[in-house]
């Protein structure tokens, strides 16, 4: 009898976890190919309407997916070889423009402002991905990936680090310098926790965010790195690479979305109800309807 009492709770926990995982994706939802006419898609960022900007870095363009009619248009040519994108709290588009190792702000009229062009008079390695805090601070990762369009062939900043732009005075500070190759980054909507993927070491960490933007309490979240990342309204964290892997708050893998591509670069939530998972993978864009939602806007 005692054995049965011990077994039953375990079974219920397993069933609950299984049910939770199954409920993430909407019932009967299927992965849909939106378009496959690009060279390499990256950096999806959602606006208030649920539309999503994304990049095609080899073609040097930023595109816009419409949540209303599922169509894609070109938003910006000569896009600075942008990679990661994010919408700031004023509705402007931020872009990791690694052609000249910069971070850009692009307003609604497509005017470009360079926010960061160097660190201590040294060229950045190549801003890759970013996240904006509720108070307007900007975290961005700066790994080094040798690009075919660069004339340089080595780093000016030896370490591949994570930086923070203080919204009060626009100063730039290093907040993580002990990672091999930081790449994907995402924070919780309350601004208290930051996740950083160290793709070079195949690990993802969580950090506590302090009021001044510094990071403490570095904790291993999971033994998997990631290219891009997002988070849903249940606190689940989405990592990319071979498809999309979904982890709960404890770092336990609860679901996987298989993508028939060699690499899945990035992911975010969009759509009118913010329940469409938007996936960039190689030359393609995919979507799938979810039972969870994004946390932006």
């Amino acid at each position: 009898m005692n054995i049965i009492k011990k077994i039953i709770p375990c079974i219920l926990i397993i069933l609950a976890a299984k049910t939770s995982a199954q409920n993430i994706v909407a019932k009967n939802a299927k992965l849909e190919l939106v378009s496959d006419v690009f060279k390499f898609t990256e950096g999806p960022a959602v606006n208030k309407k649920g539309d999503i900007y994304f990049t095609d870095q080899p073609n040097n363009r930023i595109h816009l997916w419409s949540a209303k009619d599922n169509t894609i248009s070109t938003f910006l040519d000569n896009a600075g070889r942008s990679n990661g994108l994010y919408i700031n709290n004023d509705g402007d588009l931020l872009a990791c423009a690694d052609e000249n190792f910069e971070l850009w702000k692009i307003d609604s009229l497509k005017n470009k402002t360079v926010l960061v062009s160097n660190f201590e008079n040294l060229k950045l390695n190549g801003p890759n991905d970013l996240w904006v805090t509720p108070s307007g601070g900007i975290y961005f990762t700066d790994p080094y990936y040798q690009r075919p369009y660069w004339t340089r062939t080595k780093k000016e900043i030896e370490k591949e680090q994570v930086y923070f732009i203080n919204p009060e005075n626009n100063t730039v500070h290093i907040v993580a310098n002990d990672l091999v190759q930081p790449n994907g980054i995402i924070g919780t909507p309350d601004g208290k926790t930051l996740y950083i993927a160290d793709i070079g070491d195949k690990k993802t960490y969580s950090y506590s965010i302090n009021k001044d933007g510094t990071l403490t309490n570095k904790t291993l979240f999971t033994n998997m790195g990631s290219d891009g990342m997002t988070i849903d309204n249940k606190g689940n964290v989405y990592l990319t690479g071979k498809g999309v892997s979904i982890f709960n708050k404890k770092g336990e893998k609860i679901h996987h979305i298989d993508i028939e591509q060699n690499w899945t670069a990035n992911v975010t939530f969009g759509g009118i109800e913010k329940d469409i998972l938007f996936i960039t993978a190689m030359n393609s864009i995919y979507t799938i309807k979810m039972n969870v939602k994004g946390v932006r806007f």
Side-chain angles (χ1 to χ4, degrees):
M1 188 69 175
N2 289 335
I3 294 176
I4 294 175
K5 287 182 178 180
K6 291 179 179 179
I7 291 175
I8 289 176
C10 292
I11 293 174
L12 291 175
I13 290 171
I14 292 170
L15 289 174
K18 185 176 181 181
T19 301
S20 176
Q22 289 175 338
N23 287 342
I24 288 178
V25 177
K27 186 177 180 180
N28 299 322
K30 294 182 179 180
L31 189 70
E32 296 184 8
L33 174 65
V34 179
S35 179
D36 60 359
V37 301
F38 310 101
K39 284 191 176 180
F40 191 86
T41 57
E42 249 286 12
V46 63
N47 65 17
K48 289 184 178 180
K49 296 189 294 184
D51 303 327
I52 294 176
Y53 297 89
F54 66 94
T55 62
D56 184 2
Q57 193 175 46
N59 283 320
N60 201 16
R61 294 190 186 104
I62 296 175
H63 295 279
L64 180 62
W65 173 79
S66 169
K68 184 178 180 180
D69 57 17
N70 196 34
T71 59
I72 293 174
S73 59
T74 298
F75 171 73
L76 185 68
D77 286 307
N78 299 316
R81 300 284 184 173
S82 291
N83 193 331
L85 305 173
Y86 208 83
I87 305 292
N88 70 11
N89 299 341
D90 296 322
D92 299 315
L93 182 64
L94 304 183
C96 292
D98 82 0
E99 182 173 28
N100 291 309
F101 330 108
E102 297 170 335
L103 192 69
W104 286 4
K105 180 178 75 173
I106 307 169
D107 67 18
S108 59
L109 299 176
K110 305 181 184 180
N111 297 311
K112 306 166 192 173
T113 302
V114 176
L115 299 180
V116 182
S117 60
N118 65 83
F119 182 73
E120 296 181 345
N121 295 318
L122 297 175
K123 291 179 181 177
L124 294 166
N125 290 321
N128 186 280
D129 208 352
L130 72 165
W131 179 72
V132 178
T133 71
S135 61
I138 303 169
Y139 290 96
F140 68 93
T141 59
D142 188 45
Y144 188 90
Y145 295 103
Q146 183 65 46
R147 304 299 192 189
Y149 43 83
W150 288 349
T151 56
R152 75 172 185 177
T153 57
K154 62 180 181 179
K155 305 174 182 178
E156 290 190 12
I157 300 173
E158 184 57 34
K159 287 191 174 183
E160 302 183 21
Q161 304 175 126
V162 181
Y163 297 86
F164 176 70
I165 304 175
N166 190 312
E168 295 181 3
N169 52 25
N170 293 320
T171 55
V172 182
H173 306 275
I174 299 168
V175 290
N177 65 358
D178 60 348
L179 303 172
V180 177
Q181 194 170 50
N183 196 311
I185 189 168
I186 196 71
T188 54
D190 61 7
K192 295 181 178 181
T193 302
L194 185 70
Y195 295 94
I196 302 173
D198 187 351
I199 197 170
D201 199 28
K202 298 180 180 179
K203 291 179 174 61
T204 296
Y205 297 95
S206 66
Y207 298 80
S208 296
I209 300 174
N210 301 317
K211 288 185 178 180
D212 61 358
T214 56
L215 304 176
T216 52
N217 299 324
K218 178 183 178 183
T219 304
L220 180 66
F221 178 68
T222 186
N223 282 299
M224 177 182 168
S226 187
D227 196 342
M229 303 171 68
T230 196
I231 193 169
D232 67 27
N233 62 337
K234 301 297 183 181
N236 300 311
V237 178
Y238 296 62
L239 306 184
T240 62
K242 293 296 182 181
V244 181
S245 297
I246 307 172
F247 296 80
N248 64 19
K249 295 178 182 179
K250 298 179 180 179
E252 300 165 338
K253 187 175 178 179
I254 58 173
H255 196 66
H256 181 80
I257 300 172
D258 188 46
I259 309 292
E260 293 185 0
Q261 294 279 2
N262 291 333
W263 189 251
T264 300
N266 218 322
V267 63
T268 197
F269 280 89
I272 295 171
E273 300 298 326
K274 312 301 189 293
D275 60 351
I276 301 297
L277 192 64
F278 185 95
I279 303 164
T280 65
M282 301 300 289
N283 67 330
S284 300
I285 295 295
Y286 296 88
T287 59
I288 187 168
K289 186 173 175 57
M290 307 290 284
N291 276 332
V292 288
K293 296 184 179 184
V295 293
R296 279 291 277 165
F297 308 118

